[in-house]
mmCIF file of all heavy atoms in Angstrom:
data_model
loop_
_atom_site.group_PDB
_atom_site.id
_atom_site.type_symbol
_atom_site.label_atom_id
_atom_site.label_comp_id
_atom_site.label_asym_id
_atom_site.label_seq_id
_atom_site.Cartn_x
_atom_site.Cartn_y
_atom_site.Cartn_z
ATOM 1 N N GLU A 1000 -25.691 57.563 -99.292
ATOM 2 C CA GLU A 1000 -25.620 58.931 -98.404
ATOM 3 C C GLU A 1000 -24.152 59.281 -98.585
ATOM 4 O O GLU A 1000 -23.917 60.517 -98.873
ATOM 5 C CB GLU A 1000 -25.962 58.594 -97.090
ATOM 6 C CG GLU A 1000 -27.511 58.553 -96.877
ATOM 7 C CD GLU A 1000 -27.893 58.465 -95.344
ATOM 8 O OE1 GLU A 1000 -27.079 59.137 -94.601
ATOM 9 O OE2 GLU A 1000 -28.827 57.982 -95.012
ATOM 10 N N ILE A 1001 -23.190 58.397 -98.328
ATOM 11 C CA ILE A 1001 -21.815 58.769 -98.424
ATOM 12 C C ILE A 1001 -21.508 59.077 -99.921
ATOM 13 O O ILE A 1001 -20.732 60.139 -100.137
ATOM 14 C CB ILE A 1001 -20.986 57.615 -97.905
ATOM 15 C CG1 ILE A 1001 -21.144 57.435 -96.346
ATOM 16 C CG2 ILE A 1001 -19.430 57.892 -98.164
ATOM 17 C CD1 ILE A 1001 -20.635 58.627 -95.507
ATOM 18 N N MET A 1018 -14.860 70.267 -94.484
ATOM 19 C CA MET A 1018 -14.375 69.183 -93.620
ATOM 20 C C MET A 1018 -15.283 69.050 -92.350
ATOM 21 O O MET A 1018 -15.624 67.943 -91.804
ATOM 22 C CB MET A 1018 -13.008 69.457 -93.194
ATOM 23 C CG MET A 1018 -12.092 68.379 -92.645
ATOM 24 S SD MET A 1018 -12.028 67.040 -93.761
ATOM 25 C CE MET A 1018 -12.204 65.553 -92.693
ATOM 26 N N GLU A 1019 -15.881 70.214 -91.950
ATOM 27 C CA GLU A 1019 -16.731 70.230 -90.783
ATOM 28 C C GLU A 1019 -18.141 69.332 -91.208
ATOM 29 O O GLU A 1019 -18.613 68.552 -90.444
ATOM 30 C CB GLU A 1019 -17.226 71.469 -90.304
ATOM 31 C CG GLU A 1019 -16.031 72.234 -89.695
ATOM 32 C CD GLU A 1019 -15.559 71.505 -88.384
ATOM 33 O OE1 GLU A 1019 -16.325 70.755 -87.756
ATOM 34 O OE2 GLU A 1019 -14.341 71.498 -88.104
ATOM 35 N N ILE A 1020 -18.582 69.472 -92.463
ATOM 36 C CA ILE A 1020 -19.693 68.793 -92.979
ATOM 37 C C ILE A 1020 -19.461 67.410 -93.050
ATOM 38 O O ILE A 1020 -20.174 66.579 -92.754
ATOM 39 C CB ILE A 1020 -20.227 69.470 -94.298
ATOM 40 C CG1 ILE A 1020 -20.595 70.919 -94.097
ATOM 41 C CG2 ILE A 1020 -21.374 68.680 -94.801
ATOM 42 C CD1 ILE A 1020 -20.884 71.536 -95.374
ATOM 43 N N CYS A 1021 -18.156 67.097 -93.484
ATOM 44 C CA CYS A 1021 -17.871 65.734 -93.759
ATOM 45 C C CYS A 1021 -17.677 65.117 -92.356
ATOM 46 O O CYS A 1021 -18.173 63.806 -92.271
ATOM 47 C CB CYS A 1021 -16.445 65.800 -94.420
ATOM 48 S SG CYS A 1021 -15.652 64.093 -94.694
ATOM 49 N N ARG A 1022 -17.213 65.681 -91.280
ATOM 50 C CA ARG A 1022 -17.246 65.017 -90.045
ATOM 51 C C ARG A 1022 -18.603 64.773 -89.461
ATOM 52 O O ARG A 1022 -18.763 63.684 -88.801
ATOM 53 C CB ARG A 1022 -16.359 65.913 -89.125
ATOM 54 C CG ARG A 1022 -14.974 65.970 -89.395
ATOM 55 C CD ARG A 1022 -14.040 66.816 -88.358
ATOM 56 N NE ARG A 1022 -12.712 66.764 -88.570
ATOM 57 C CZ ARG A 1022 -11.981 67.801 -88.905
ATOM 58 N NH1 ARG A 1022 -12.526 69.020 -89.128
ATOM 59 N NH2 ARG A 1022 -10.707 67.703 -89.208
ATOM 60 N N ARG A 1023 -19.446 65.703 -89.712
ATOM 61 C CA ARG A 1023 -20.765 65.464 -89.127
ATOM 62 C C ARG A 1023 -21.506 64.294 -89.956
ATOM 63 O O ARG A 1023 -22.203 63.484 -89.358
ATOM 64 C CB ARG A 1023 -21.551 66.713 -89.306
ATOM 65 C CG ARG A 1023 -21.327 67.870 -88.369
ATOM 66 C CD ARG A 1023 -22.421 68.906 -88.412
ATOM 67 N NE ARG A 1023 -22.609 69.487 -89.540
ATOM 68 C CZ ARG A 1023 -21.966 70.749 -89.918
ATOM 69 N NH1 ARG A 1023 -21.084 71.309 -88.994
ATOM 70 N NH2 ARG A 1023 -22.201 71.217 -91.225
ATOM 71 N N GLN A 1024 -21.206 64.175 -91.182
ATOM 72 C CA GLN A 1024 -21.835 63.198 -91.988
ATOM 73 C C GLN A 1024 -21.170 61.839 -91.616
ATOM 74 O O GLN A 1024 -21.947 60.874 -91.553
ATOM 75 C CB GLN A 1024 -21.505 63.478 -93.542
ATOM 76 C CG GLN A 1024 -22.305 62.383 -94.508
ATOM 77 C CD GLN A 1024 -23.692 62.735 -94.509
ATOM 78 O OE1 GLN A 1024 -24.082 63.817 -94.229
ATOM 79 N NE2 GLN A 1024 -24.479 61.771 -94.927
ATOM 80 N N TYR A 1025 -19.979 61.858 -91.335
ATOM 81 C CA TYR A 1025 -19.263 60.694 -90.930
ATOM 82 C C TYR A 1025 -19.760 60.185 -89.580
ATOM 83 O O TYR A 1025 -20.150 58.950 -89.327
ATOM 84 C CB TYR A 1025 -17.718 60.950 -90.857
ATOM 85 C CG TYR A 1025 -16.917 59.704 -90.206
ATOM 86 C CD1 TYR A 1025 -16.587 58.726 -91.008
ATOM 87 C CD2 TYR A 1025 -16.518 59.786 -88.826
ATOM 88 C CE1 TYR A 1025 -15.831 57.598 -90.465
ATOM 89 C CE2 TYR A 1025 -15.766 58.635 -88.318
ATOM 90 C CZ TYR A 1025 -15.468 57.667 -89.293
ATOM 91 O OH TYR A 1025 -14.666 56.548 -88.693
ATOM 92 N N CYS A 1026 -19.936 61.061 -88.635
ATOM 93 C CA CYS A 1026 -20.522 60.724 -87.201
ATOM 94 C C CYS A 1026 -21.927 60.247 -87.433
ATOM 95 O O CYS A 1026 -22.326 59.148 -86.762
ATOM 96 C CB CYS A 1026 -20.599 61.896 -86.307
ATOM 97 S SG CYS A 1026 -18.895 62.460 -85.853
ATOM 98 N N LYS A 1027 -22.791 60.786 -88.261
ATOM 99 C CA LYS A 1027 -24.148 60.299 -88.567
ATOM 100 C C LYS A 1027 -24.191 58.900 -89.018
ATOM 101 O O LYS A 1027 -24.948 57.902 -88.570
ATOM 102 C CB LYS A 1027 -24.830 61.272 -89.510
ATOM 103 C CG LYS A 1027 -26.237 60.937 -89.754
ATOM 104 C CD LYS A 1027 -26.883 61.858 -90.787
ATOM 105 C CE LYS A 1027 -28.232 61.374 -91.206
ATOM 106 N NZ LYS A 1027 -28.857 62.198 -92.143
ATOM 107 N N VAL A 1028 -23.372 58.659 -90.079
ATOM 108 C CA VAL A 1028 -23.269 57.317 -90.677
ATOM 109 C C VAL A 1028 -22.724 56.316 -89.640
ATOM 110 O O VAL A 1028 -23.281 55.110 -89.450
ATOM 111 C CB VAL A 1028 -22.522 57.302 -91.882
ATOM 112 C CG1 VAL A 1028 -22.294 55.866 -92.460
ATOM 113 C CG2 VAL A 1028 -23.233 58.150 -92.997
ATOM 114 N N MET A 1029 -21.693 56.654 -88.867
ATOM 115 C CA MET A 1029 -21.183 55.733 -87.882
ATOM 116 C C MET A 1029 -22.092 55.433 -86.810
ATOM 117 O O MET A 1029 -22.112 54.269 -86.258
ATOM 118 C CB MET A 1029 -19.839 56.389 -87.283
ATOM 119 C CG MET A 1029 -18.610 56.284 -88.127
ATOM 120 S SD MET A 1029 -18.064 54.645 -88.331
ATOM 121 C CE MET A 1029 -17.363 54.276 -86.698
ATOM 122 N N THR A 1030 -22.933 56.329 -86.355
ATOM 123 C CA THR A 1030 -23.808 55.995 -85.259
ATOM 124 C C THR A 1030 -25.065 55.351 -85.756
ATOM 125 O O THR A 1030 -25.879 54.734 -84.887
ATOM 126 C CB THR A 1030 -24.145 57.382 -84.481
ATOM 127 O OG1 THR A 1030 -24.686 58.361 -85.426
ATOM 128 C CG2 THR A 1030 -22.984 57.935 -83.809
ATOM 129 N N THR A 1031 -25.466 55.499 -87.036
ATOM 130 C CA THR A 1031 -26.740 54.878 -87.640
ATOM 131 C C THR A 1031 -26.347 53.539 -88.263
ATOM 132 O O THR A 1031 -26.946 52.506 -87.818
ATOM 133 C CB THR A 1031 -27.442 55.808 -88.384
ATOM 134 O OG1 THR A 1031 -26.526 56.210 -89.487
ATOM 135 C CG2 THR A 1031 -27.927 57.041 -87.651
ATOM 136 N N LYS A 1032 -25.629 53.542 -89.311
ATOM 137 C CA LYS A 1032 -25.343 52.388 -90.061
ATOM 138 C C LYS A 1032 -23.859 52.323 -90.400
ATOM 139 O O LYS A 1032 -23.280 52.633 -91.352
ATOM 140 C CB LYS A 1032 -25.982 52.530 -91.396
ATOM 141 C CG LYS A 1032 -27.626 52.356 -91.322
ATOM 142 C CD LYS A 1032 -28.047 50.965 -90.929
ATOM 143 C CE LYS A 1032 -29.555 50.841 -90.754
ATOM 144 N NZ LYS A 1032 -30.027 49.547 -90.425
ATOM 145 N N PRO A 1033 -23.067 51.820 -89.354
ATOM 146 C CA PRO A 1033 -21.656 51.893 -89.531
ATOM 147 C C PRO A 1033 -21.169 50.716 -90.509
ATOM 148 O O PRO A 1033 -20.005 50.911 -91.033
ATOM 149 C CB PRO A 1033 -21.103 51.551 -88.154
ATOM 150 C CG PRO A 1033 -22.196 50.723 -87.477
ATOM 151 C CD PRO A 1033 -23.482 51.411 -88.027
ATOM 152 N N LEU A 1036 -19.687 51.672 -94.007
ATOM 153 C CA LEU A 1036 -18.289 52.350 -94.275
ATOM 154 C C LEU A 1036 -17.299 51.188 -94.286
ATOM 155 O O LEU A 1036 -16.442 51.007 -93.400
ATOM 156 C CB LEU A 1036 -17.986 53.249 -93.028
ATOM 157 C CG LEU A 1036 -18.610 54.647 -93.137
ATOM 158 C CD1 LEU A 1036 -18.263 55.445 -91.901
ATOM 159 C CD2 LEU A 1036 -17.908 55.390 -94.407
ATOM 160 N N PHE A 1044 -14.154 57.180 -99.655
ATOM 161 C CA PHE A 1044 -14.244 58.358 -98.748
ATOM 162 C C PHE A 1044 -12.822 58.689 -98.060
ATOM 163 O O PHE A 1044 -12.751 59.919 -98.207
ATOM 164 C CB PHE A 1044 -15.200 57.735 -97.522
ATOM 165 C CG PHE A 1044 -15.335 58.730 -96.521
ATOM 166 C CD1 PHE A 1044 -16.094 59.876 -96.783
ATOM 167 C CD2 PHE A 1044 -14.945 58.430 -95.345
ATOM 168 C CE1 PHE A 1044 -16.320 60.883 -95.637
ATOM 169 C CE2 PHE A 1044 -15.106 59.346 -94.244
ATOM 170 C CZ PHE A 1044 -15.864 60.619 -94.370
ATOM 171 N N SER A 1252 -10.182 55.318 -90.138
ATOM 172 C CA SER A 1252 -11.024 56.440 -90.676
ATOM 173 C C SER A 1252 -11.368 57.381 -89.677
ATOM 174 O O SER A 1252 -11.322 58.570 -89.937
ATOM 175 C CB SER A 1252 -12.303 55.802 -91.296
ATOM 176 O OG SER A 1252 -13.111 55.217 -90.355
ATOM 177 N N THR A 1253 -11.533 56.979 -88.331
ATOM 178 C CA THR A 1253 -11.890 57.920 -87.256
ATOM 179 C C THR A 1253 -10.652 58.750 -87.044
ATOM 180 O O THR A 1253 -10.828 59.974 -86.839
ATOM 181 C CB THR A 1253 -12.241 57.107 -86.036
ATOM 182 O OG1 THR A 1253 -13.392 56.308 -86.249
ATOM 183 C CG2 THR A 1253 -12.617 58.151 -84.868
ATOM 184 N N VAL A 1256 -10.369 61.297 -90.092
ATOM 185 C CA VAL A 1256 -11.485 62.196 -90.366
ATOM 186 C C VAL A 1256 -11.645 63.198 -89.107
ATOM 187 O O VAL A 1256 -11.693 64.367 -89.139
ATOM 188 C CB VAL A 1256 -12.732 61.414 -90.588
ATOM 189 C CG1 VAL A 1256 -13.947 62.427 -90.666
ATOM 190 C CG2 VAL A 1256 -12.669 60.619 -91.821
ATOM 191 N N MET A 1257 -11.622 62.553 -87.976
ATOM 192 C CA MET A 1257 -11.926 63.315 -86.690
ATOM 193 C C MET A 1257 -10.684 63.979 -86.004
ATOM 194 O O MET A 1257 -10.825 64.966 -85.332
ATOM 195 C CB MET A 1257 -12.658 62.399 -85.679
ATOM 196 C CG MET A 1257 -13.751 61.721 -86.199
ATOM 197 S SD MET A 1257 -15.163 62.802 -86.584
ATOM 198 C CE MET A 1257 -15.574 63.527 -85.099
ATOM 199 N N TYR A 1261 -7.989 61.501 -81.661
ATOM 200 C CA TYR A 1261 -8.965 60.423 -81.399
ATOM 201 C C TYR A 1261 -8.225 59.153 -81.246
ATOM 202 O O TYR A 1261 -8.862 58.094 -80.874
ATOM 203 C CB TYR A 1261 -9.982 60.391 -82.744
ATOM 204 C CG TYR A 1261 -11.209 61.304 -82.499
ATOM 205 C CD1 TYR A 1261 -11.231 62.442 -82.561
ATOM 206 C CD2 TYR A 1261 -12.396 60.425 -82.208
ATOM 207 C CE1 TYR A 1261 -12.318 63.263 -82.329
ATOM 208 C CE2 TYR A 1261 -13.543 61.200 -81.897
ATOM 209 C CZ TYR A 1261 -13.535 62.665 -81.903
ATOM 210 O OH TYR A 1261 -14.589 63.506 -81.659
ATOM 211 N N VAL A 1300 -16.359 50.650 -82.683
ATOM 212 C CA VAL A 1300 -15.937 51.943 -82.592
ATOM 213 C C VAL A 1300 -17.270 52.840 -82.733
ATOM 214 O O VAL A 1300 -17.404 53.840 -81.967
ATOM 215 C CB VAL A 1300 -14.979 52.304 -83.933
ATOM 216 C CG1 VAL A 1300 -14.764 53.836 -83.850
ATOM 217 C CG2 VAL A 1300 -13.764 51.516 -83.846
ATOM 218 N N SER A 1301 -18.257 52.469 -83.511
ATOM 219 C CA SER A 1301 -19.478 53.230 -83.600
ATOM 220 C C SER A 1301 -20.125 53.425 -82.296
ATOM 221 O O SER A 1301 -20.807 54.262 -81.947
ATOM 222 C CB SER A 1301 -20.500 52.625 -84.642
ATOM 223 O OG SER A 1301 -20.586 51.268 -84.339
ATOM 224 N N SER A 1302 -20.090 52.322 -81.426
ATOM 225 C CA SER A 1302 -20.762 52.368 -80.097
ATOM 226 C C SER A 1302 -20.161 53.333 -79.150
ATOM 227 O O SER A 1302 -20.760 53.817 -78.241
ATOM 228 C CB SER A 1302 -20.867 50.973 -79.601
ATOM 229 O OG SER A 1302 -21.489 50.012 -80.425
ATOM 230 N N LEU A 1304 -18.422 56.129 -80.247
ATOM 231 C CA LEU A 1304 -18.101 57.314 -80.942
ATOM 232 C C LEU A 1304 -18.530 58.549 -80.161
ATOM 233 O O LEU A 1304 -17.943 59.647 -80.087
ATOM 234 C CB LEU A 1304 -18.655 57.389 -82.388
ATOM 235 C CG LEU A 1304 -18.111 58.503 -83.193
ATOM 236 C CD1 LEU A 1304 -16.662 58.551 -83.436
ATOM 237 C CD2 LEU A 1304 -18.766 58.472 -84.669
ATOM 238 N N GLU A 1305 -19.765 58.514 -79.523
ATOM 239 C CA GLU A 1305 -20.324 59.638 -78.807
ATOM 240 C C GLU A 1305 -19.453 59.728 -77.595
ATOM 241 O O GLU A 1305 -19.151 61.030 -77.217
ATOM 242 C CB GLU A 1305 -21.670 59.277 -78.339
ATOM 243 C CG GLU A 1305 -22.755 59.427 -79.566
ATOM 244 C CD GLU A 1305 -24.247 59.207 -79.098
ATOM 245 O OE1 GLU A 1305 -24.358 59.140 -77.842
ATOM 246 O OE2 GLU A 1305 -25.073 59.073 -79.872
ATOM 247 N N MET A 1307 -16.224 59.059 -77.346
ATOM 248 C CA MET A 1307 -15.067 59.848 -77.745
ATOM 249 C C MET A 1307 -15.272 61.280 -78.131
ATOM 250 O O MET A 1307 -14.366 62.047 -77.831
ATOM 251 C CB MET A 1307 -14.516 59.024 -79.057
ATOM 252 C CG MET A 1307 -13.877 57.743 -78.628
ATOM 253 S SD MET A 1307 -13.105 56.850 -80.010
ATOM 254 C CE MET A 1307 -14.342 56.100 -80.807
ATOM 255 N N GLU A 1308 -16.401 61.633 -78.684
ATOM 256 C CA GLU A 1308 -16.768 62.987 -78.800
ATOM 257 C C GLU A 1308 -16.894 63.823 -77.591
ATOM 258 O O GLU A 1308 -16.368 64.977 -77.436
ATOM 259 C CB GLU A 1308 -18.068 63.136 -79.629
ATOM 260 C CG GLU A 1308 -17.912 62.777 -81.042
ATOM 261 C CD GLU A 1308 -19.397 62.841 -81.687
ATOM 262 O OE1 GLU A 1308 -20.295 62.205 -81.480
ATOM 263 O OE2 GLU A 1308 -19.260 63.634 -82.787
ATOM 264 N N GLU A 1311 -13.418 64.429 -76.500
ATOM 265 C CA GLU A 1311 -12.807 65.498 -77.405
ATOM 266 C C GLU A 1311 -13.120 66.832 -76.877
ATOM 267 O O GLU A 1311 -12.376 67.753 -76.807
ATOM 268 C CB GLU A 1311 -13.296 65.405 -78.912
ATOM 269 C CG GLU A 1311 -12.846 66.496 -79.787
ATOM 270 C CD GLU A 1311 -13.835 66.736 -80.986
ATOM 271 O OE1 GLU A 1311 -14.616 65.739 -81.279
ATOM 272 O OE2 GLU A 1311 -13.692 67.748 -81.719
ATOM 273 N N ARG A 1312 -14.367 67.155 -76.471
ATOM 274 C CA ARG A 1312 -14.831 68.358 -75.980
ATOM 275 C C ARG A 1312 -14.079 68.709 -74.656
ATOM 276 O O ARG A 1312 -13.898 69.952 -74.282
ATOM 277 C CB ARG A 1312 -16.324 68.341 -75.692
ATOM 278 C CG ARG A 1312 -17.162 68.252 -76.935
ATOM 279 C CD ARG A 1312 -18.650 68.586 -76.702
ATOM 280 N NE ARG A 1312 -19.241 67.459 -75.994
ATOM 281 C CZ ARG A 1312 -19.711 66.381 -76.533
ATOM 282 N NH1 ARG A 1312 -19.839 66.245 -77.782
ATOM 283 N NH2 ARG A 1312 -20.368 65.410 -75.728
#
Side-chain angles (χ1 to χ4, degrees):
E1000 289 188 27
I1001 293 292
M1018 198 61 218
E1019 289 301 322
I1020 299 172
C1021 179
R1022 290 188 177 109
R1023 287 198 298 270
Q1024 189 71 25
Y1025 176 78
C1026 292
K1027 178 183 176 182
V1028 173
M1029 280 290 290
T1030 52
T1031 55
K1032 294 291 182 179
L1036 277 174
F1044 178 66
S1252 61
T1253 300
V1256 176
M1257 304 300 291
Y1261 269 74
V1300 176
S1301 57
S1302 302
L1304 190 60
E1305 289 185 4
M1307 288 188 270
E1308 287 180 299
E1311 174 202 344
R1312 290 191 293 271

